[in-house]
Amino acid sequence: MNRYISRDNFLREKDMSISTRKSFDTLFRNIEEYEDVIDKAIDEWTKEDCLDMLASLGIKKANTIAVKWSLLKKYLIYIGNTVYREITKSDLENIDGSVLRYIPYEEVILGLDVFENYIDKAIVLLLRNGIRSDEYRLIKHEDIDVENNAIKLSNRVIRVDDYTMDILVKAMNERGYKMNIKDKSNYNYYHYNMESPYLIKNRRNKYNDDGRTPMIETSLRDRTNKLLRRVEIDGISSTALVSSYIVDKIIEFENEMGLTLNENQIKGFVENKLKMKCNMYTIYNMKKNIGE
């Protein structure tokens, strides 16, 4: 069915107020613009397409995102696209409508002086090398190839420089963790279970096999956010660091090939070449705003 006929039928069949109708009119314009960019009709949209479209609107308030999603969901249900079932509250909360700041690698290195533990330095560097918390929590010592400056992940291999690898080696050899508290008692430091195969080790207790299991993802994400709040870099966040890595790789590829990627090409490059997921509008705008 023609997309315009489908939307006219939807508006005609649904009982709604004038203000709600205007909201749907605006949403349909947003949908049409995004369909044209990715050359894909909404009935074929994936979860990533839906979240990308919402992010492209530049909305910074969570409640406004929620309203937009409520409208979009109703239309997805109407046209029979069941992708709405895959989108969670957490997905919506993680949408960042603001333009992220590109964070140079050298700036990250300078910001690491605030940390005493090498594992804390390593976490920030892993993010700047495009490795998310759900990935680095599962990195084992055997996944780190010191000789070739490489880290093996489930779907790709990341190459790092000598500085990052040196920090990773020192982190692997740390025998305990010094907490960032002023307490002078014995509680501000804990020893690792060195039998743990993981780069990022748990604090030992009876619930995690005496520190042998990987950290819970939500706990590691919270710890990462606390670390980043200590780094004096404007606009630093996990998303900004990972996105800055992606931008580096795009620029590197463009310089090598002598071309400039558009928004849709960026998505294809990131997914097919880097084996990563990204919000193409976020990456495109970050790249465009470098140096501004």
Side-chain angles (χ1 to χ4, degrees):
M1 182 183 293
N2 180 287
R3 68 183 182 184
Y4 299 109
I5 295 176
S6 173
R7 288 158 201 178
D8 287 343
N9 290 344
F10 174 83
L11 293 173
R12 184 169 53 251
E13 293 173 15
K14 299 296 181 181
D15 183 19
M16 62 183 74
S17 66
I18 295 176
S19 61
T20 301
R21 183 177 296 274
K22 289 182 177 178
S23 295
F24 271 111
D25 286 337
T26 301
L27 175 69
F28 289 151
R29 286 197 296 272
N30 299 147
I31 291 172
E32 289 169 20
E33 290 171 359
Y34 191 74
E35 284 177 323
D36 291 339
V37 168
I38 66 174
D39 193 24
K40 185 192 297 185
I42 188 173
D43 55 333
E44 300 176 351
W45 282 10
T46 64
K47 171 182 176 178
E48 289 74 22
D49 293 327
C50 293
L51 295 175
D52 266 355
M53 193 283 286
L54 291 171
S56 72
L57 302 179
I59 300 170
K60 298 181 181 180
K61 294 183 179 180
N63 59 339
T64 307
I65 282 285
V67 170
K68 281 286 188 180
W69 167 240
S70 176
L71 298 173
L72 177 58
K73 181 179 178 180
K74 288 178 181 178
Y75 187 64
L76 289 169
I77 293 173
Y78 177 78
I79 63 176
N81 187 338
T82 58
V83 69
Y84 66 89
R85 298 173 182 169
E86 303 174 24
I87 296 176
T88 66
K89 182 179 179 180
S90 177
D91 291 325
L92 298 174
E93 290 174 346
N94 288 331
I95 290 176
D96 189 345
S98 60
V99 176
L100 297 178
R101 173 179 175 261
Y102 171 81
I103 302 176
Y105 182 73
E106 295 75 13
E107 194 171 337
V108 173
I109 292 176
L110 293 175
L112 297 180
D113 288 342
V114 69
F115 300 121
E116 294 186 60
N117 302 292
Y118 283 107
I119 192 60
D120 292 341
K121 297 174 187 282
I123 286 173
V124 179
L125 287 170
L126 289 171
L127 286 167
R128 188 55 181 78
N129 279 277
I131 305 176
R132 305 182 311 270
S133 61
D134 61 312
E135 296 176 311
Y136 59 66
R137 83 179 185 94
L138 298 176
I139 292 176
K140 297 180 179 180
H141 289 196
E142 65 188 33
D143 298 324
I144 300 175
D145 183 347
V146 178
E147 183 176 348
N148 294 302
N149 280 18
I151 303 170
K152 182 180 179 182
L153 303 177
S154 62
N155 68 334
R156 64 193 191 281
V157 174
I158 298 291
R159 304 287 176 179
V160 300
D161 64 1
D162 290 340
Y163 176 81
T164 295
M165 184 54 67
D166 180 60
I167 295 295
L168 290 173
V169 170
K170 290 176 179 175
M172 284 191 288
N173 291 326
E174 281 184 324
R175 305 192 66 83
Y177 188 83
K178 185 174 182 180
M179 292 182 287
N180 181 42
I181 56 178
K182 296 179 181 180
D183 185 3
K184 299 295 184 181
S185 69
N186 294 329
Y187 295 104
N188 68 346
Y189 182 90
Y190 59 87
H191 292 276
Y192 293 137
N193 184 339
M194 298 306 288
E195 293 181 4
S196 169
Y198 295 97
L199 170 66
I200 303 175
K201 296 177 175 58
N202 260 317
R203 184 169 186 168
R204 303 170 71 163
N205 62 54
K206 62 181 180 180
Y207 302 108
N208 58 27
D209 192 24
D210 196 32
R212 294 183 181 88
T213 61
M215 286 192 69
I216 297 172
E217 185 176 341
T218 52
S219 298
L220 182 54
R221 192 182 304 122
D222 289 342
R223 172 174 162 182
T224 299
N225 289 335
K226 290 178 181 177
L227 292 177
L228 295 180
R229 284 196 289 270
R230 295 175 56 196
V231 182
E232 296 183 357
I233 295 178
D234 290 339
I236 193 169
S237 68
S238 295
T239 303
L241 290 170
V242 172
S243 298
S244 295
Y245 166 84
I246 293 174
V247 168
D248 282 347
K249 292 302 177 183
I250 292 171
I251 293 175
E252 182 180 302
F253 177 77
E254 288 179 335
N255 290 339
E256 180 182 334
M257 302 301 295
L259 51 78
T260 299
L261 302 182
N262 61 32
E263 295 98 320
N264 205 29
Q265 290 170 330
I266 283 173
K267 188 176 180 67
F269 173 79
V270 174
E271 292 185 353
N272 300 322
K273 297 294 185 181
L274 300 185
K275 306 298 182 184
M276 298 173 68
K277 295 288 186 180
C278 78
N279 180 313
M280 63 181 178
Y281 285 101
T282 297
I283 299 300
Y284 180 79
N285 287 325
M286 175 185 276
K287 176 175 173 287
K288 183 176 66 176
N289 285 282
I290 290 178
E292 289 187 1

